[in-house]
Amino acid sequence: MRKETSTNALNEKMINDGCGMALSMSVIGGRWKPAILCRLAYGTMRYGELKKAIDGISERMLVAQLREMEKDRIVQRIVYPEVPPRVEYQLTDLGRTMKPMLDAMSEWGNKYRDQIDAGSIELLSVGE
Amino acid sequence: MRKETSTNALNEKMINDGCGMALSMSVIGGRWKPAILCRLAYGTMRYGELKKAIDGISERMLVAQLREMEKDRIVQRIVYPEVPPRVEYQLTDLGRTMKPMLDAMSEWGNKYRDQIDAGSIELLSVGE
DNA sequence: CCGTATCCATGGTGATACTG
DNA sequence: CAGTATCACCATGGATACGG
């Protein structure tokens, strides 16, 4: 049996629906994980860089989401014992295997946005 | 500007992080959407069939998640005016364009599960 | 058969302030 | 610079009962 501690990192509820999709969702789901993953997909980033790059994120949430992804072994945290302190984050090897999935998601999302913006889809509720 | 009504159907918070990943997440995120999408990917299903197929889902949640995906135009609801009533659900054309993304997610999830089960990853906290 | 309505618990998230 | 610590909100989702 797999072990875990808290919150979202590997949500037991979702991992057993047969198809792996739910497992993927439990790893990349989370308010800010897509945004973080997008950045780390291009390489290593410092804590402060991530914070600046991701608009609107609080330190609390940035750290929380990074920690969860560390637990799930897709993100790696590297601490340089310097003054001032420096901490870098990057995808692990396992994290990098997500690339095709991440790309597929970005691509569909962008196409979907185009569809909506083109007005060919109304996304309901205009008169609600 | 895009319009929307409630809850999760197109979460404004998530759609503006530049990469389309977050948009995708806002459409397929949700406790039961992966499970539902997995089923509908193979074809049309009746309400009752979905309910039976997805273990543990309540009627409330099944309907709620289906309605959200209807709003987002990826799922189509077809009502047959018969007695007894019959309602079928299927992916829309737009919904079917998600196939590559869905497949990528399933594939990565399954590989990830293998990695974990193989013990090559410990998923933390064994001694926590 | 296919849902709605209602109530309620949980925890994910945000805001703010503080620390090594 | 890179985080912790606390508090509180409220949307998400669960259980149960009822309706066309």
Side-chain angles (χ1 to χ4, degrees):
Chain A
M1 193 58 178
R2 211 168 300 119
K3 294 211 58 175
E4 51 151 338
T5 31
S6 61
T7 51
N8 195 19
L10 267 295
N11 183 344
E12 288 286 344
K13 289 181 194 165
M14 293 189 82
I15 64 179
N16 285 126
D17 73 338
C19 108
M21 227 192 114
L23 221 204
S24 297
M25 290 291 313
S26 75
V27 173
I28 63 178
R31 175 73 177 77
W32 300 98
K33 288 181 187 176
I36 297 172
L37 258 6
C38 277
R39 268 71 183 199
L40 294 185
Y42 295 109
T44 299
M45 288 187 80
R46 294 183 59 164
Y47 174 83
E49 289 177 325
L50 281 170
K51 195 179 137 190
K52 261 197 312 179
I54 302 172
D55 193 58
I57 194 170
S58 68
E59 300 202 327
R60 182 174 120 67
M61 286 316 297
L62 178 54
V63 173
Q65 306 266 291
L66 284 168
R67 293 288 183 277
E68 280 182 7
M69 293 191 291
E70 272 189 85
K71 286 185 187 178
D72 293 339
R73 297 295 192 258
I74 60 171
V75 164
Q76 190 171 6
R77 181 171 178 262
I78 304 172
V79 183
Y80 295 88
E82 306 172 353
V83 178
R86 181 159 61 105
V87 179
E88 291 186 348
Y89 292 90
Q90 60 184 229
L91 295 184
T92 61
D93 287 345
L94 182 60
R96 276 185 282 275
T97 65
M98 296 190 306
K99 264 293 231 165
M101 173 175 68
L102 263 26
D103 288 343
M105 294 181 68
S106 291
E107 194 182 349
W108 188 82
N110 288 328
K111 278 187 187 160
Y112 182 68
R113 177 170 6 235
D114 289 345
Q115 292 280 313
I116 298 169
D117 290 345
S120 55
I121 300 177
E122 288 228 354
L123 247 255
L124 99 119
S125 81
V126 179
E128 189 172 357
Chain B
M1 193 57 178
R2 213 167 297 119
K3 295 212 56 174
E4 51 151 338
T5 31
S6 61
T7 53
N8 194 19
L10 266 295
N11 184 344
E12 287 286 343
K13 290 181 194 164
M14 292 191 81
I15 64 179
N16 286 125
D17 73 338
C19 109
M21 227 193 113
L23 221 203
S24 297
M25 289 292 312
S26 76
V27 174
I28 63 177
R31 175 71 177 79
W32 300 97
K33 287 182 187 177
I36 297 172
L37 256 8
C38 278
R39 269 69 183 202
L40 294 186
Y42 295 110
T44 299
M45 288 188 78
R46 296 184 58 165
Y47 174 83
E49 290 176 324
L50 281 171
K51 196 180 136 190
K52 261 198 311 178
I54 302 172
D55 195 57
I57 194 172
S58 68
E59 300 203 327
R60 180 174 121 70
M61 288 315 298
L62 177 54
V63 173
Q65 304 267 294
L66 284 168
R67 292 289 182 276
E68 279 182 9
M69 293 192 290
E70 272 188 84
K71 287 185 186 178
D72 293 338
R73 298 296 192 257
I74 62 173
V75 163
Q76 190 170 6
R77 180 170 177 265
I78 306 172
V79 183
Y80 296 88
E82 306 171 354
V83 177
R86 180 159 62 107
V87 179
E88 291 187 347
Y89 292 91
Q90 60 184 231
L91 295 183
T92 62
D93 287 343
L94 182 59
R96 276 183 283 274
T97 65
M98 298 189 307
K99 264 292 230 166
M101 172 175 69
L102 263 25
D103 289 343
M105 296 182 67
S106 291
E107 194 182 347
W108 187 82
N110 289 326
K111 278 186 186 159
Y112 182 68
R113 177 172 1 236
D114 290 344
Q115 292 281 311
I116 298 169
D117 291 345
S120 54
I121 299 177
E122 286 229 355
L123 246 258
L124 97 119
S125 82
V126 178
E128 189 175 357

